[in-house]
Amino acid sequence: MDKEAIKNELVREGELIINSTRNPVKSSVGISKLKALANHLGTIEDFTKKINSKLNEILKEHNITEFESEEEKNELIQYLKPTVTELIRKYTLG
């Protein structure tokens, strides 16, 4: 399993989702910015679901339908965790 290829593909797909989503927070000021931020933060769960879905698609494309061990699965999760966290941060802050 090439973890780096999986990570790179996940980043690319995540960036596509981020770029296709208009971030209303950037163009707002004052109270409008606070309201826009609250609304935008409400969509983080949807974004996280999309990222998880994309990861599953990528794993399937790489013919990874199951892991040899729980340790291998946890290793991949730990490897991808900073990447997913960074994608969520980018989505949140724009």
Side-chain angles (χ1 to χ4, degrees), residues 25-82:
V25 179
K26 286 182 179 180
S27 60
S28 301
V29 293
I31 297 294
S32 295
K33 186 169 192 143
L34 290 175
K35 288 179 182 177
L37 181 59
N39 290 335
H40 186 64
L41 291 178
T43 64
I44 289 175
E45 185 176 340
D46 292 334
F47 176 73
T48 303
K49 287 178 184 178
K50 288 178 186 177
I51 290 296
N52 284 332
S53 178
K54 285 295 179 186
L55 177 57
N56 287 330
E57 288 175 25
I58 292 166
L59 291 173
K60 193 173 182 179
E61 287 172 12
H62 286 265
N63 296 318
I64 301 170
T65 55
E66 57 184 63
F67 294 93
E68 291 180 16
S69 66
E70 194 68 23
E71 183 180 328
E72 182 184 33
K73 177 180 145 187
N74 289 334
E75 185 180 305
L76 179 63
I77 290 169
Q78 289 304 312
Y79 181 76
L80 293 176
K81 192 173 187 176

Side-chain angles (χ1 to χ4, degrees), residues 3 9-11 23 39 46 57 68 72 77-78 89-90 92-93:
K3 295 187 295 189
E9 199 168 333
L10 183 61
V11 168
N23 185 342
N39 290 335
D46 292 334
E57 288 175 25
E68 291 180 16
E72 182 184 33
I77 290 169
Q78 289 304 312
R89 187 197 68 74
K90 281 183 178 180
T92 304
L93 301 176

